[in-house]
């Protein structure tokens, strides 16, 4: 453990901590844009600069390891002036777009501009202009709003292990992009979207669906047995976005399905009751595959609604019949990643012990 | 005819560009056909040698007959025959092609250590280096000195890093030597990204083995088994010679396993850089070797604690390492006898700009700027007035005439707002506009910023924009103060050395040439008549003969007039290209 003094207060932290960790432990507020507790320190935005006794120039708290007896000052007129200049410079190269920005109200840059009361900017000048032309289905990349904090790059590399994006070009034209500045083509986990402090990265499906008065409901992702915690953002009765909180079991990280594939919730095509086929399969003009897209319109002719009891009894009777007539190996079971581990366990038990066959498999193997 | 004949043709990059390879083979052929055949070959050699500094006079060729050396300048292929016939066969040197006094003055005040064998030996032949005592220092170190003893010699010599920051080399080695680690690395920084700098390049092209020897001694001292030379791919000749040198050195057992029969293993890899200036910064360089984008990271931890692949690493500049064998050979006291109290030894500078003698020079530290510019450099071209000298590459400052007697060392340069940097030295005269000069350097640093941190990426862009508006006549009241404020902010809050030094050209020119800034802003006037938007061209009636040359040359059709009558320029059409100014034989065009 190491003890140091911050703004006159003593604090003891673990040996490998940074000065920023110590500042946070004391609950002293300090602005940051490129810092993320789960990612390697970057030191790019320069907002968390502090004065450390014995070091001539201001130093970034996020990159500096603590040492015994260190004396740190987090605020002074000079430091605040420098932070202000940093913000002004960032804003001088940022579209004046908060009115229509998806992230307004939830944007770290906007919030800092508000706290520092930045209205005029005496560094106005050229702004980066980029055409939006990314053909990917999930992530809106508005690189004019990017402040090059590098969080997306680090999360993609360090958390996701994908490395789909990186810094490219140099100087004022430095830009985050996929290789050769092509369209994003990756896992689409959206981790980058989750960590972006500005409106540079947002979900395509979120567009103009609402920013204020959203109801938040914490729940569990229905897609797989991992059970990631998700939070549904709801406007009226529609789920318009999915997020996940950092303090959850999955630390706020999700996969493409959990983060972006929530459209089924409000889909009119969603099955909510069991259906039993009324027209025998042979006489149906449609193969199983073909029935899929126009399901809704066809279902009325081909299927009828049933209660759960009726449906389950029907399945049990048919399975028994088939087993008696053709033997247990004529039946196979395929279960789903959407089920819990316990459900999957029971399912294979059912197939093996009740039906009596080893023909059982799971969708996650494919 | 049993004369001893030696011919040395410069094949540094400058020499190559001036046709060195071609002239070299012409000499060989001419000598053969003149009957100086193979029996004489032991005594007769035609060698390629590295750069000897005075590139302004390339191609330089030394002809040494029985030890008497004559140097020819501007040698062209068609001159070879006459030199062979008259000088070598008949013994009458071709006087009109020989170098003159300025060549000798150029060398008089120089002290060559690092460059001592550049231009003297064949850089592609390890035996040539061994003949002049090469690798003796390595032998001495490995067979008779401990790492601690070696480090203490380097410490006592006072050698400081020649890559820019001037950190004491012995101390850096000592810190790394003390680190306990299963693996350590040593890296030679041959990125040399400063525009106009070619010090390291010349050393690598002229005497690559001296750098390898220094690197190996360094490796022995700190306990590294693996070394890298990080060199830019734009230096194909240097890369090539380095590759050959490493191969030859390996064959001779100076690198590899069990070096010189002792239990010391060390091998060297070459890593090509893609030419980003910032990759010369040590942490960016390490990232680049690791296969990442060359972006600096915050220090601490310093590379000696956690460098390449997280292991203790020493990074040294080419020139720093090239000094090492000479220090071991001649002793710490010898090296410390050159220089000032805190800056010992010699330093190589690339002297360019408005001096008569452009080229590479090596001088003892503590020499004055005046000696460099007026004695070695031969003064200002065209007898113009000296205005300032910009030292330290793109992020150095401009030093005005009042400091000409400044003794050059790390501290003194910093005191006047500039830096030693890697040794660029650009001389400016009265026809250079200082605002424009600052803008020029900032264009470079801005474009080369890695983009990681806000002050450097956006801040230098805004600095540049303010300079652009001043030089285009749109400067505003308060711009000078804004430049100063922003410059101090960038200097104090940037992450790496690039941002910390980028504002130096702005701050130093404001400090010493504030009146020029004011003239641009308040009077919309460029005192040196350089900034295009502030110039007008006009024709002086009394000098114009009406020859019409300007009218024919003007690409914008802006000149009116009939033959033999005074012509005039329509300023609304003039695009200020300056063509008329250049073509008028009667000096009738006025730039104001
Ligand atoms: C932007 C920047 C560019 C640099 N470029 C070079 C370079 O081209 N060559 C070099 O030797 N050092 C360069 N340096 C200095 C290196 O970071 C490092 O200090 C040096 O290589 C250490 O070697 P030395 O102690 O022998 O000087 C650069 C530093 C900065 C900040
Ligand atoms: S969506 Fe995931 S994989 Fe794709 S760039 Fe973002 S973090 Fe990387
Ligand atoms: S896109 Fe967002 S997260 Fe990525 S660098 Fe830009 S601002 Fe940071
Ligand atoms: S100062 Fe410039 S070059 Fe250095 S890290 Fe910052 S942006 Fe990159």
């Amino acid at each position: 453990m190491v003890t140091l003094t911050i703004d006159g207060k003593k604090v003891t932290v673990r040996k490998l901590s940074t000065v920023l960790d110590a500042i946070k432990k004391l609950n002293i507020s300090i602005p940051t844009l490129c810092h993320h507790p789960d990612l390697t320190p970057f030191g790019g935005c320069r907002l968390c600069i502090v004065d450390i006794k014995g070091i001539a120039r201001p130093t970034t708290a996020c990159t500096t390891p603590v040492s015994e007896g260190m004396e740190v000052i987090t605020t002074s007129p000079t430091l605040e002036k420098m932070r202000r200049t940093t913000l002004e410079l960032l804003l001088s190269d940022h579209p004046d777009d908060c009115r229509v920005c998806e992230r307004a109200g939830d944007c770290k840059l906007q919030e800092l501009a508000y706290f520092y009361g930045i209205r005029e900017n005496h560094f106005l000048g050229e702004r980066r202009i980029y055409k939006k032309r990314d053909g990917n289905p999930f992530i809106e990349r508005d690189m004019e709003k990017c402040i090059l904090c590098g969080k997306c790059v680090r999360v993609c590399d360090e958390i996701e292990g994908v490395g789909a994006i990186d810094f490219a070009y140099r100087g004022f034209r430095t830009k985050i992009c996929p290789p050769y500045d092509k369209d994003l083509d990756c896992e689409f986990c959206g981790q980058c979207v989750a960590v972006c402090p500005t409106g540079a990265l947002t979900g395509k499906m979120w567009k103009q669906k609402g920013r204020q008065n959203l109801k938040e409901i914490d729940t569990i992702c229905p897609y797989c047995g991992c059970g990631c915690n998700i939070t549904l953002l709801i406007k009226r009765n529609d789920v318009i976005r999915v997020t996940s909180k950092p303090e959850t079991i999955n630390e706020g990280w999700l996969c493409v399905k959990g983060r972006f594939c929530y459209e089924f919730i409000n889909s009119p095509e969603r099955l909510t009751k069991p259906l039993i086929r009324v027209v025998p399969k042979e006489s149906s003009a449609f193969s199983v595959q073909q029935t899929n897209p126009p399901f809704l319109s066809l279902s009325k002719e081909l299927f009828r609604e049933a209660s759960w009891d009726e449906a389950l009894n029907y399945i049990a009777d048919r399975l028994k019949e088939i087993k008696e007539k053709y033997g247990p190996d004529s039946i196979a079971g395929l279960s789903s990643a959407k089920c819990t581990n316990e459900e999957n366990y029971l399912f294979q038990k059912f197939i093996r012990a009740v039906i009596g066959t080893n023909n059982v498999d799971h969708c996650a193997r494919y | 005819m049993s004369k001893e004949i030696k011919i040395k043709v410069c094949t540094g990059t400058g020499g190559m560009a001036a046709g060195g390879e071609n002239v070299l083979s012409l000499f060989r052929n001419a000598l053969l056909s003149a009957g100086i055949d193979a029996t004489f070959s032991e005594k007769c050699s035609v060698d390629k040698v590295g750069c000897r500094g005075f590139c302004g006079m390339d191609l330089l060729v030394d002809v040494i007959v029985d030890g008497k050396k004559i140097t020819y300048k501007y040698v062209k292929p068609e001159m070879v025959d006459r030199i062979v016939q008259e000088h070598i066969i008949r013994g009458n040197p071709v006087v009109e092609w020989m170098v003159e006094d300025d060549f000798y003055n150029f060398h008089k005040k120089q002290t060559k250590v690092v460059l001592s064998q550049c231009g003297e030996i064949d850089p592609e032949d390890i035996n040539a280096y061994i003949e002049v005592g090469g690798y003796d220092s390595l032998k001495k170190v490995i067979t008779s000195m401990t790492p601690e003893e070696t480090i203490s010699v380097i410490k006592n010599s006072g050698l400081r890093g020649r890559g820019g920051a001037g950190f004491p080399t012995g101390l850096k080695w000592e810190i790394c030597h003390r680190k306990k680690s299963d693996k350590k690395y040593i890296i030679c920084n041959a990125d040399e990204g400063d525009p106009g700098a070619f010090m390291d390049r010349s050393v690598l092209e002229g005497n690559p083995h001296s750098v390898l020897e220094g690197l190996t001694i360094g490796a022995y001292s700190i306990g590294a088994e693996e070394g890298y030379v990080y060199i830019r791919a734009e230096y194909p000749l240097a890369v090539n010679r380095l590759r050959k040198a490493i191969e030859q050195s390996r064959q001779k057992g100076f690198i590899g396993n069990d070096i010189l029969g002792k239990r010391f293993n060390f091998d060297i890899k070459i890593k090509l850089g893609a030419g980003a200036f910032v990759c010369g910064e040590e942490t960016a360089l390490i990232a680049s070797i690791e296969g990442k984008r060359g972006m600096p990271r915050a220090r601490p931890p310093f590379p000696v604690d956690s460098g390449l692949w997280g292991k203790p690493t020493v990074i040294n500049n080419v020139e720093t390492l090239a000094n090492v064998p000479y220090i071991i050979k001649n002793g710490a006291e010898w090296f410390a006898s050159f220089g000032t109290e805190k800056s010992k030894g010699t330093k190589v500078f690339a002297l360019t700009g408005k001096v008569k003698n452009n080229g590479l020079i090596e001088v003892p530290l503590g020499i004055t700027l005046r000696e460099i510019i007026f004695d070695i450099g031969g003064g200002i071209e065209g007898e113009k007035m000296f205005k300032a000298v910009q030292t330290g590459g793109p992020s150095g400052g401009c030093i005005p005439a009042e400091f000409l007697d400044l003794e050059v060392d790390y501290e003194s340069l910093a005191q006047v707002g500039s830096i030693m940097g890697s040794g660029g030295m650009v001389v400016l005269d009265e026809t250079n506009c200082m605002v424009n000069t600052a803008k020029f350097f900032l264009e470079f640093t801005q474009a080369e910023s890695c983009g990681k941190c806000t002050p450097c990426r956006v801040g230098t862009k805004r600095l540049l924009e303010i300079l652009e508006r001043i030089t285009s006549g749109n400067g505003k009241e308060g711009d000078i103060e804004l430049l100063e404020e922003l410059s101090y902010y960038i200097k104090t809050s940037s992450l790496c050395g690039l941002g910390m030094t980028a504002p130096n050209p702005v701050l130093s020119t404001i400090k010493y040439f504030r009146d020029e800034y004011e003239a641009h802003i308040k009077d919309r006037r460029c005192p040196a008549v350089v900034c295009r938007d502030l110039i007008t061209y006009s024709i002086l009636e009394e000098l114009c003969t009406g020859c019409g040359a300007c009218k024919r040359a003007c690409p914008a059709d802006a000149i009116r007039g009939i033959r033999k009558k005074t012509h005039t320029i329509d300023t609304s059409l003039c695009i200020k290209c300056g063509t008329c100014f250049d073509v008028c034989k009667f000096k009738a065009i006025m730039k104001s």
Side-chain angles (χ1 to χ4, degrees), chain A residues 41-46 49 57-60 63-65 81-83 85-87 89-90 92-93 122-128 146-148 166-174, chain B residues 274-278 293 295-301 446-455 457-459 461-462 465-466 469 482 485-486 488-495 500:
Chain A
F42 189 64
C45 74
R46 316 304 289 170
I49 45 169
R57 358 175 31 250
T59 317
T60 41
T63 58
T64 310
K81 175 109 198 286
M82 287 170 81
R83 288 181 182 140
T85 307
T86 301
L87 283 169
L89 286 171
L90 285 173
S92 74
D93 181 29
H122 46 305
F123 300 114
L124 284 182
E126 187 189 334
R127 211 161 57 65
R128 293 161 299 159
C146 171
I147 54 161
L148 291 140
D166 205 338
F167 287 78
Y169 309 104
R170 262 173 274 166
F172 188 63
R173 299 262 143 213
T174 309
Chain B
F277 174 59
V278 72
R293 174 179 162 96
M295 284 212 286
R297 61 157 176 77
R299 299 172 305 178
Q446 156 58 35
E448 290 296 328
S449 156
C450 84
K452 181 169 180 171
C453 69
T454 318
R457 182 186 70 246
V458 195
K461 172 74 182 170
R462 300 300 175 234
E465 283 172 346
I466 300 171
R469 78 172 175 240
L482 194 58
E485 184 195 323
L486 193 52
Y488 282 118
Y489 158 77
I490 297 169
K491 268 176 90 84
T492 37
S493 63
S494 290
L495 191 158
M500 290 179 210

Side-chain angles (χ1 to χ4, degrees), chain A residues 143 145-152 176 192 195-198 200-201:
Chain A
M143 297 329 275
K145 293 182 184 166
C146 171
I147 54 161
L148 291 140
C149 70
K151 279 193 203 174
C152 54
I176 309 285
C192 50
V195 296
C196 181
T198 70
L201 299 177

Side-chain angles (χ1 to χ4, degrees), chain B residues 432-458:
Chain B
N432 288 103
C433 164
M434 298 315 281
V435 189
N436 196 51
T437 303
K439 189 182 90 177
F440 172 82
F441 286 113
L442 217 47
E443 270 166 10
F444 176 83
T445 37
Q446 156 58 35
E448 290 296 328
S449 156
C450 84
K452 181 169 180 171
C453 69
T454 318
C456 174
R457 182 186 70 246
V458 195

Side-chain angles (χ1 to χ4, degrees), chain A residues 23 48 89 95 100 123 133 160 219 242 246 253 263 270 349-350 361:
Chain A
I23 293 174
C48 71
L89 286 171
V100 289
F123 300 114
R133 52 162 178 80
E160 203 58 18
T219 179
V242 173
W253 311 126
E263 266 178 337
R270 180 171 165 189
K349 203 74 185 166
F350 169 75
D361 215 330

Side-chain angles (χ1 to χ4, degrees), chain B residues 267-403:
Chain B
D267 215 329
I268 301 173
K269 289 188 187 136
I270 293 181
K271 169 81 192 171
L272 296 187
F277 174 59
V278 72
C279 284
E281 197 281 338
E282 54 188 24
T283 57
L285 186 149
I286 288 173
S288 175
I289 294 183
E290 289 174 349
K292 301 182 195 136
R293 174 179 162 96
M295 284 212 286
R297 61 157 176 77
R299 299 172 305 178
F302 287 90
V304 281
D305 294 317
S306 169
L308 187 59
W309 316 114
K311 302 290 179 190
T313 303
V314 159
I315 299 190
N316 276 131
N317 165 262
V318 170
E319 195 187 327
T320 314
L321 293 170
N323 270 303
V324 168
Y326 298 100
I327 296 175
I328 299 290
K329 187 192 293 174
N330 302 323
E333 296 72 33
W334 163 83
F335 187 80
S337 69
F338 305 108
T340 62
E341 194 199 331
K342 286 185 173 165
S343 308
K344 302 293 185 195
T346 59
K347 173 84 192 86
V348 182
F349 290 98
L351 183 63
T352 54
K354 302 286 176 60
V355 275
K356 285 191 190 133
N357 307 333
N358 275 302
L360 203 65
I361 61 168
E362 183 172 354
V363 289
L365 287 165
I367 192 172
T368 64
L369 286 169
R370 191 184 297 283
E371 285 172 288
I372 293 180
I373 295 162
F374 289 92
D375 297 343
I376 298 173
I380 309 298
E381 238 176 11
E383 306 309 325
K384 296 232 167 53
M385 277 263 291
F386 168 87
K387 190 183 226 173
V389 53
Q390 206 269 356
T391 72
S395 35
C398 292
I399 305 174
E402 63 198 270
F403 296 116

